[in-house]
Amino acid sequence: FAYLADLALRGSVMSGLLALTYWVDALKVVNTFGWSMQYVVVIIVFSVYMDMGNTACLAWYNFYGTLLPTLNVFFLWGWCPHGTTQAGVFSPTWWFGFVDFIAFNFAFLALNVPVGVRMFALSWQAYFSMAFLNPHNTTKFSTGFDDIILQGAAVGPLVGTIFGCVLGLVVVGPSPWGYTLTGLGHAQEQAIKLTWEEGKLWKAMVDYFCKSDQTV
């Protein structure tokens, strides 16, 4: 219980600090650069687990699953900077985006990628592709590495994901009220507990055979 309470307290404190960016006027500017702290909290929730190793693994899944559709949308908008807003529905540009969407989804459903990566990649790609295929789209996207738009619909969430992954590791790292939550530390605690139980068992055996605690 104490271990889970410690983990819950760490996550709650971090979420509360990020929530200040919506309550304190001086901090509201943080949410105007293209990413939001509420999405950072979402990434923290999907990243933080029982120890540093698992948290780092899940954070990597979240980052990797967001990075791939972002790179893919760079490819889409790099070739077609206006999307389908000029070409219209069922144009060659529209079919190009449609085939890209099908190929991307098929790859992630067919390949043996981790569930976390698949979940983030497919959800973001669905949003990006729907914006690309919509001839009335007004959402801004970066068209490549030479045209990075932080307020864009792809780069902003990617930056927010990076913040969330890093802060997720901070949550399970050293804190004023505890040490780093690691698998090794958890194993050491279990080893101490087992050693203590074994010591009690040996004491009971000695007491029994020394006739100080015989039952028969």
Side-chain angles (χ1 to χ4, degrees):
F1 173 80
Y3 189 89
L4 296 178
D6 182 14
L7 184 61
L9 179 61
R10 292 166 181 252
S12 300
V13 170
M14 180 61 71
S15 299
L17 292 175
L18 295 177
L20 292 177
T21 60
Y22 294 94
W23 290 87
V24 180
D25 292 335
L27 298 177
K28 291 182 178 180
V29 66
V30 176
N31 295 297
T32 62
F33 295 105
W35 59 85
S36 65
M37 290 300 106
Q38 61 182 0
Y39 183 68
V40 172
V41 172
V42 171
I43 296 299
I44 292 175
V45 171
F46 276 99
S47 299
V48 173
Y49 199 55
M50 297 295 292
D51 52 59
M52 178 66 78
N54 282 306
T55 299
C57 181
L58 294 175
W60 170 251
Y61 288 169
N62 298 337
F63 168 73
Y64 190 39
T66 306
L67 176 65
L68 293 179
T70 300
L71 295 177
N72 187 49
V73 82
F74 277 11
F75 169 74
L76 280 175
W77 290 90
W79 278 95
C80 308
H82 302 288
T84 57
T85 54
Q86 295 181 354
V89 180
F90 302 126
S91 62
T93 301
W94 189 91
W95 283 110
F96 172 68
F98 179 78
V99 171
D100 176 87
F101 176 63
I102 296 299
F104 189 92
N105 285 353
F106 177 80
F108 274 87
L109 292 174
L111 298 177
N112 186 26
V113 297
V115 175
V117 177
R118 181 183 293 125
M119 177 180 65
F120 275 86
L122 294 182
S123 61
W124 277 119
Q125 187 58 47
Y127 167 52
F128 296 158
S129 292
M130 285 190 290
F132 183 85
L133 297 175
N134 180 14
H136 305 291
N137 172 63
T138 57
T139 306
K140 295 181 179 179
F141 285 91
S142 302
T143 58
F145 293 102
D146 58 343
D147 182 33
I148 300 296
I149 304 175
L150 286 179
Q151 288 78 13
V155 177
L158 179 61
V159 175
T161 299
I162 295 174
F163 283 151
C165 293
V166 173
L167 293 179
L169 296 176
V170 172
V171 168
V172 296
S175 69
W177 53 82
Y179 49 84
T180 303
L181 302 180
T182 63
L184 178 60
H186 189 62
Q188 290 175 336
E189 292 179 356
Q190 292 296 321
I192 293 174
K193 181 179 179 181
L194 290 175
T195 302
W196 180 261
E197 293 296 331
E198 185 175 358
K200 290 170 59 179
L201 179 61
W202 276 100
K203 182 179 182 301
M205 292 171 59
V206 171
D207 291 341
Y208 178 82
F209 285 104
C210 289
K211 299 183 179 181
S212 61
D213 191 24
Q214 286 189 346
T215 58
V216 292

